[in-house]
Amino acid sequence: FISTGLWSLCRQPNYFGEILMWVAMAAATSAAGVTLGDLRLQLAWLSPAFTATLLLKVSGVPMVEKAGWKKWGDDAAYQHYMKHTSMLIPWWPAPPLAASAAKDACAKTQMM
């Protein structure tokens, strides 16, 4: 399915970037609050928490992945991509489909 570029490392790099941006803003605001002695600025952490909740549980990932399953759910390459690629945090890319299929078949044989 997607075996090159940023989307080969995680399925939702755009949402990861969005959450990371808000975390960085909250960290900067929080640090300024500590320096200035205004602890109300710690409330800045509500923004990345709210954004992450929306993107991961409500409107972002669930809707995108549901649409993906509807469109490509029968495609073995898509199923492999979904099973072996990190959802949010960029990580190692999925192994090639043929190598992974052989490994899964071997594991199933050992279980029997």
Side-chain angles (χ1 to χ4, degrees):
F1 203 74
I2 301 173
S3 59
T4 61
L6 195 53
W7 267 263
S8 70
L9 304 178
C10 69
R11 299 189 314 256
Q12 307 297 337
N14 50 337
Y15 295 146
F16 177 70
E18 177 84 12
I19 293 166
L20 194 61
M21 181 200 67
W22 287 111
V23 166
M25 300 269 291
T29 303
S30 182
V34 169
T35 302
L36 297 172
D38 187 356
L39 297 180
R40 292 176 299 166
L41 293 177
Q42 300 302 316
L43 294 173
W45 288 102
L46 293 175
S47 179
F50 181 69
T51 300
T53 300
L54 284 179
L55 291 177
L56 298 175
K57 302 292 182 190
V58 181
S59 64
V61 173
M63 290 174 63
V64 169
E65 293 198 346
K66 182 179 178 184
W69 278 110
K70 186 176 181 181
K71 188 171 185 176
W72 300 296
D74 295 336
D75 185 351
Y78 181 74
Q79 293 171 6
H80 173 77
Y81 175 75
M82 293 297 287
K83 181 178 178 184
H84 296 284
T85 305
S86 170
M87 180 189 68
L88 186 68
I89 299 172
W91 201 244
W92 303 108
L97 180 58
S100 179
K103 185 178 177 182
D104 289 345
C106 182
K108 286 180 184 176
T109 304
Q110 290 176 351
M111 290 171 58
M112 293 181 174

